[in-house]
Amino acid sequence: MEYVLLVVGFVLLIKGADFFVEGSSSLAQILKVPSVVIGLTIVAMGTSAPEASVSINAALAGSNDIAISNVVGSNIFNGLVVVGVCAFLSAFKTNRDILKRDMPLNILVTFILCLMFLDGKLNRIEGGILFAGMILYITVMIYHAIKNKSENEPEKILSLPRSIIYMIAGLAAVIFGGDLVVDKACIIATNFGVSQNFIGLTIVAIGTSLPELVTSIVATKKGDSGLALGNAIGSNLFNILFILGFSAILSPLHVLNESIIDCGILLISSILLFIFAKTKQHMSKLEGIICIGLYLAYMGYLLI
């Protein structure tokens, strides 16, 4: 029954995030909020809503191992699998803005997180620093987006009552689904005699990263495979700055030695991805296969 409820939790997380994004995007358009702002805030945060719900629920429940490992595991999955699969399906050119701004920032933020982990805890002050970084990042992104604004096709707008219902229902599903995933993942870890850290890095991290993977594969099939890189890097920055930042503000997090090693692996994979993306400003099919192979090797390391 635990496995069935775990799957139900993941379905609630993913579908809830979809409903929340659709409802809040429609509401923002009804209120005449620029489309660039919607894309950089509501939609970006919506795809990371499952990770946010799981980590915040875990932090409040005192399951620090899952709160941290979910974010670190999701970021490794995004960088190696999401980008790797899309590069394998269709090689793509890398966006100059992502190469110049977002990828170096992702490496810097990951490096800072590794330093914060070294003392074995993530306290409220460190959480506040990360959260402030998120606010600054979104502010800068919105400023640049409005400055270089291009008109997009208008999205489908729901009615005002329907938009509000979608938002409330979606948010409720995400919160309830996150709570369910944390509870059942802890029980499964106990039953198998494995650590919550391992469950967080594998089942929970992969499950909560499904929206990013699905979004990127759909974009690749439509011929916009370059979107995968921006989606993955943006999600990784949000995961560290907002999710870990906010979780630590709510409840200071204890950091395991294994999490310090995993954060180091995340830093190395982020640097490697940057090198691949920067080489000829292109991600090839071979580089995609290497990324997927490295993730499989990481899974092997976790099992051992």
Side-chain angles (χ1 to χ4, degrees), residues 58-80:
L60 290 172
S63 302
N64 290 351
D65 298 0
I66 287 181
I68 291 172
S69 60
N70 173 40
V71 166
V72 174
S74 290
N75 282 17
I76 293 172
F77 184 86
N78 287 342
L80 295 179

Side-chain angles (χ1 to χ4, degrees), residues 139-180:
T139 304
V140 170
M141 289 287 283
I142 290 172
Y143 170 76
H144 281 292
I146 292 173
K147 192 178 174 184
N148 306 308
K149 187 178 178 182
S150 59
E151 287 300 318
N152 298 320
E153 288 182 29
E155 297 288 323
K156 182 180 77 172
I157 299 179
L158 302 170
S159 65
L160 181 60
R162 203 171 169 192
S163 298
I164 294 167
I165 291 167
Y166 269 45
M167 281 179 70
I168 294 168
L171 194 59
V174 166
I175 292 166
F176 182 68
D179 198 32
L180 208 56

Side-chain angles (χ1 to χ4, degrees), residues 62-251:
S63 302
N64 290 351
D65 298 0
I66 287 181
I68 291 172
S69 60
N70 173 40
V71 166
V72 174
S74 290
N75 282 17
I76 293 172
F77 184 86
N78 287 342
L80 295 179
V81 178
V82 174
V83 177
V85 166
C86 292
F88 173 69
L89 292 174
S90 176
F92 58 86
K93 284 188 176 180
T94 48
N95 181 283
R96 285 178 68 185
D97 285 339
I98 292 171
L99 274 178
K100 278 186 170 181
R101 179 190 62 213
D102 301 316
M103 293 192 84
L105 181 62
N106 181 50
I107 292 168
L108 176 64
V109 166
T110 306
F111 177 68
I112 290 168
L113 184 68
C114 288
L115 292 180
M116 287 179 171
F117 277 4
L118 288 176
D119 65 354
K121 61 181 182 294
L122 196 65
N123 60 39
R124 283 195 170 93
I125 294 171
E126 290 167 332
I129 292 168
L130 293 175
F131 191 74
M134 184 66 201
I135 294 168
L136 180 63
Y137 175 67
I138 287 179
T139 304
V140 170
M141 289 287 283
I142 290 172
Y143 170 76
H144 281 292
I146 292 173
K147 192 178 174 184
N148 306 308
K149 187 178 178 182
S150 59
E151 287 300 318
N152 298 320
E153 288 182 29
E155 297 288 323
K156 182 180 77 172
I157 299 179
L158 302 170
S159 65
L160 181 60
R162 203 171 169 192
S163 298
I164 294 167
I165 291 167
Y166 269 45
M167 281 179 70
I168 294 168
L171 194 59
V174 166
I175 292 166
F176 182 68
D179 198 32
L180 208 56
V181 167
V182 171
D183 282 350
K184 301 311 160 192
C186 289
I187 292 168
I188 291 167
T190 306
N191 290 345
F192 274 94
V194 296
S195 66
Q196 289 182 12
N197 187 53
F198 175 79
I199 294 289
L201 285 165
T202 52
I203 298 169
V204 178
I206 293 168
T208 54
S209 290
L210 289 177
E212 286 88 346
L213 182 61
V214 171
T215 303
S216 297
I217 289 174
V218 169
T220 299
K221 285 184 176 179
K222 289 180 180 176
D224 193 10
S225 51
L227 182 69
L229 190 60
N231 188 16
I233 299 302
S235 179
N236 284 8
L237 283 166
F238 181 82
N239 287 351
I240 293 174
L241 294 173
F242 174 73
I243 297 174
L244 280 184
F246 192 60
S247 297
I249 289 169
L250 289 176
S251 175

